Amino acid sequence: GVQLAESGGGLVQAGGSLRLSCTTSGLTFDDLTMAWFRQAPGKEREGVSCTSRSGSSTWHADSVNGRFVISRDNAKNILYLQMNSLKPEDTAMYYCAAVKNLGSFCYRSQYEYDYWGQGTQVTVSS
């Protein structure tokens, strides 16, 4: 079956960094548009970053632009989210998502994605 698995979350102090990873199985990684979403307690899930299948096109939410960078290694079938200058408001469960899309763009909306991981918790202390 199809599986997405996130890793790399944890507890970090404000100003610190974490790198999240997402691996897939059961899918052809090169065909996938991929994204990171997050959901904090009591809040709706929101888009963080997305990347086209080649990585040539990316998007980052205003709240993380300049601090987070999405990237992918198609040779290793891994999606990354490098998170720097973390803030307490970045605390959330982070999910990776994927959809088969042969276009050179990525989707910002969660409703475009067919496959989801179980999430990895990121907690930023002040």
Side-chain angles (χ1 to χ4, degrees):
V2 174
Q3 288 189 327
L4 278 67
E6 303 94 338
S7 61
L11 173 63
V12 64
Q13 288 188 332
S17 298
L18 284 173
R19 188 176 76 161
L20 305 184
S21 300
C22 174
T23 58
T24 68
S25 61
L27 297 168
T28 302
F29 193 81
D30 290 8
D31 288 347
L32 301 175
T33 288
M34 301 195 72
W36 289 98
F37 291 83
R38 66 185 182 186
Q39 187 167 21
K43 295 188 177 181
E44 294 187 354
R45 187 158 53 187
E46 64 175 355
V48 176
S49 303
C50 69
T51 176
S52 62
R53 63 191 188 110
S54 70
S56 61
S57 176
T58 62
W59 167 80
H60 296 84
D62 289 345
S63 58
V64 305
N65 202 20
R67 301 187 297 121
F68 291 11
V69 178
I70 190 171
S71 63
R72 62 191 295 162
D73 185 335
N74 284 2
K76 296 181 178 179
N77 293 359
I78 304 177
L79 175 73
Y80 299 105
L81 183 67
Q82 179 66 43
M83 306 188 295
N84 301 323
S85 302
L86 283 160
K87 303 176 181 180
E89 50 263 45
D90 294 319
T91 295
M93 186 72 78
Y94 283 71
Y95 300 91
C96 72
V99 62
K100 184 175 180 180
N101 172 29
L102 301 183
S104 57
F105 57 91
C106 64
Y107 300 110
R108 302 180 185 185
S109 169
Q110 60 179 310
Y111 301 107
E112 301 288 350
Y113 291 88
D114 293 330
Y115 307 104
W116 293 82
Q118 293 298 306
T120 185
Q121 177 68 37
V122 171
T123 303
V124 184
S125 63
S126 57

